[in-house]
Amino acid sequence: MCSTAVSPARLIGKIGSLVMVTGGGFGAFSAISIYNEDEKFYDNIFMPLVQRLDPETSHNFAVFACKYKLFPKSKFQDPESLNTKVLNLSFDNPIGIAAGFDKQAEAAQSLRNIGFGFVEIGSVTPLPQSGQKKPRLFRLSENEALINRMGFNSDGHEVVLQRLVSLRQSENGKNLTLGVNLGKNKTSEDAVTDYCKGIELFSDVADYLVVNISSPNTAGLRDLQEEKQLKNLLSTLVRVRNNLPPERRKPLFVKISPDLSVEQRKQIADVVLDKLCKVDGLICSNTTTARPSELEGPHTQEAGGLSGRPLKNPSNELISDMYKLTQGAIPIIGVGGVSSGLDAYNKILSGASLVQIYTTFAFHGPPRVTRIKRELDEHLRMNGWSSVSDAVGKGVTR
Ligand SMILES: Cc1cc2nc3c(=O)[nH]c(=O)nc-3n(C[C@H](O)[C@H](O)[C@H](O)COP(=O)(O)O)c2cc1C
C-alpha cells in the first residue's frame, strides 16, 4: 500500500524551507521598503516592531543602525526654497536633528544621509559619566511624546572629540554642518570651567557650539539661566571664545527652557544682547517639566523632561517671546514638538531661522524627515515665500 504520510524529518525540512522562503521574502520586502523610504512600511510595520523594545534599547538600535549606515541615503533633493544661510553657515535645508539623539557622535554622517540639514551632537560632558540609573526614558505613545531623565550620559570630551576629528578627516565629514552641545559633569562644582573646556576643545571641529543650561536632569543646571549666574557664565565664555584665533571662533548658542517665567525671559534677552555677554543665537527649547492634563498612559508622572507633541505650543511661545524681546537681532533655532512641515513652518513664522526635531524621528523614523521638508517647501510656496529666511518671524505681532 502506498502511504501519504510524511516522515518527521521531511516535515521539519519543509517547514524550514517555508520559514526561509517567508523570512527571505519578508527580509527582501523590508530591505526594498527601507530603500524606498516607504513611510507606510515604517509607520505600520517597522516602527511598531522597534517600539516593542524598551525605549532606550530602541534608541540604541537606531544609533547602531546609523553608525553602521544601515539606512540608505535619501533620494529626496532639497528644493531651493529650503536652502538657507544663518550666521554665514550654509544649510541645504533648515531641519536638523536635536541634541540627545547622537550624544556620543557616532551617527552624524548617517543622519546627514537621511536628509537632515545639520546635526547637533551631545550634550557632551568634560569627563565620561553614565547618567541616571535605568529606566530613564519613557514613551507616551498616545501623546507622541517622551519623558527622559537621561542625566547627561556621555563618553566625555576626549572620546567624542576623537570621533569628530576622524569624521572631519573623511571626505563626507567635511561637508557636514555640525553643532556640538556642551553640558557639565554632575559632580563638577565649577560649571563655567566645564563649558570653557568644551569651547576650547571643540572649536576646531564644530560649526557652532551650544551652551546647554536647560536640561532638567542635572541638579542646579537650570539655575544658570538666572540673571546673575548667566551674566557671569556668558561673559566668561564669550571672552574665551573671542580669545581664540579667528578661524576657531565659532558661533555660540544658548539653549533655554520652555518653563521660564515672563520676567526670566526678559532678563535672558537683556543678558544675551549685552555687549560683554553677546552670544550668536538661542535654541528654544529644551524639554519641559510641566505635565499638561492631556497626557495619557502609565508614565505621565515620571520625573524628567517632556518632549514631543505636548511641547509644541510652549516652545512656539518661547520662540516668539524671545524673537520679540531680542528684536530678531540673533537667530533662533526652534525645537519642540515638530512632526510635520506645518509645525516647522509655524516655528519659522514664530521667529526660528532653523528647526530641529527629535521625538517625531523616534516615533516615525527617517521618512518623517523627508515628509517635513516636502511639506515645509509646500507651505512656503503656498504663502508666497521664496525662502525660509523670508518667512522668519512673519507670524509675530510686535
Ligand atoms: C532622550 C532625549 C535626550 C535628550 N538629551 C538632550 C541633551 O543631551 N542635550 C540637550 O540639549 N537636549 C537634549 N534633549 C532635548 C532635545 O534636544 C529637544 O530639545 C527636545 O526633545 C524637544 O524636541 P522634540 O519635541 O522634537 O523632541 C533630549 C531629548 C530626548 C527625548
Side-chain angles (χ1 to χ4, degrees), residues 104-290:
Q104 325 297 357
E106 297 169 300
Q109 185 55 57
S110 203
L111 291 164
R112 177 73 187 106
N113 288 345
I114 284 168
F116 284 105
F118 63 112
V119 175
E120 188 171 309
I121 68 111
S123 297
V124 197
T125 56
L127 299 172
Q129 63 176 33
S130 56
Q132 303 224 30
K133 77 175 192 325
K134 296 177 189 173
R136 52 192 181 177
L137 180 57
F138 305 88
R139 271 188 211 105
L140 281 65
S141 300
E142 291 85 347
N143 302 96
E144 214 160 276
L146 296 169
I147 291 179
N148 92 81
R149 50 169 181 268
M150 305 301 286
F152 288 164
N153 49 315
S154 174
D155 288 348
H157 280 176
E158 264 178 45
V159 170
V160 171
L161 179 67
Q162 280 324 306
R163 288 192 189 121
L164 291 179
V165 168
S166 308
L167 177 69
R168 286 306 203 191
Q169 282 164 353
S170 71
E171 211 34 61
N172 293 329
K174 291 193 179 93
N175 305 322
L176 189 77
T177 305
L178 194 87
V180 176
N181 180 308
L182 304 169
K184 72 170 269 290
N185 277 116
K186 182 182 174 187
T187 53
S188 163
E189 278 170 18
D190 184 358
V192 180
T193 302
D194 278 18
Y195 291 109
C196 284
K197 280 183 189 159
I199 290 173
E200 282 169 339
L201 214 60
F202 288 99
S203 61
D204 274 333
V205 288
D207 292 304
Y208 69 91
L209 294 156
V210 183
V211 184
N212 174 16
I213 46 174
S214 49
S215 285
N217 305 309
T218 296
L221 192 85
R222 303 209 300 179
D223 298 344
L224 294 168
Q225 297 173 116
E226 297 295 341
E227 190 177 19
K228 200 164 159 235
Q229 291 206 51
L230 189 64
K231 267 190 183 162
N232 175 43
L233 173 70
L234 294 187
S235 58
T236 311
L237 300 187
V238 167
R239 185 166 27 83
V240 165
R241 191 274 312 265
N242 291 349
N243 283 339
L244 292 170
E247 69 281 6
R248 295 187 65 211
R249 277 177 220 155
K250 298 298 164 70
L252 274 185
F253 282 77
V254 179
K255 186 165 179 177
I256 58 176
S257 160
D259 303 329
L260 296 164
S261 67
V262 174
E263 195 48 40
Q264 284 174 314
R265 292 171 194 212
K266 283 189 194 139
Q267 286 169 351
I268 290 178
D270 288 345
V271 174
V272 299
L273 293 181
D274 181 295
K275 215 170 108 215
L276 292 178
C277 306
K278 194 160 186 308
V279 291
D280 305 277
L282 290 171
I283 303 190
C284 307
S285 71
N286 216 311
T287 55
T288 175
T289 54

Side-chain angles (χ1 to χ4, degrees), residues 61-109:
F61 170 75
V63 173
F64 174 90
C66 285
K67 186 171 168 185
Y68 292 100
K69 305 212 168 64
L70 301 181
F71 296 115
K73 193 168 164 48
S74 169
K75 292 184 279 300
F76 182 78
Q77 274 291 323
D78 290 333
E80 221 173 280
S81 70
L82 297 190
N83 302 167
T84 191
K85 225 175 178 185
V86 177
L87 296 169
N88 265 339
L89 296 170
S90 297
F91 299 80
D92 289 345
N93 74 73
I95 309 297
I97 178 83
F101 180 82
D102 187 13
K103 282 180 187 274
Q104 325 297 357
E106 297 169 300
Q109 185 55 57

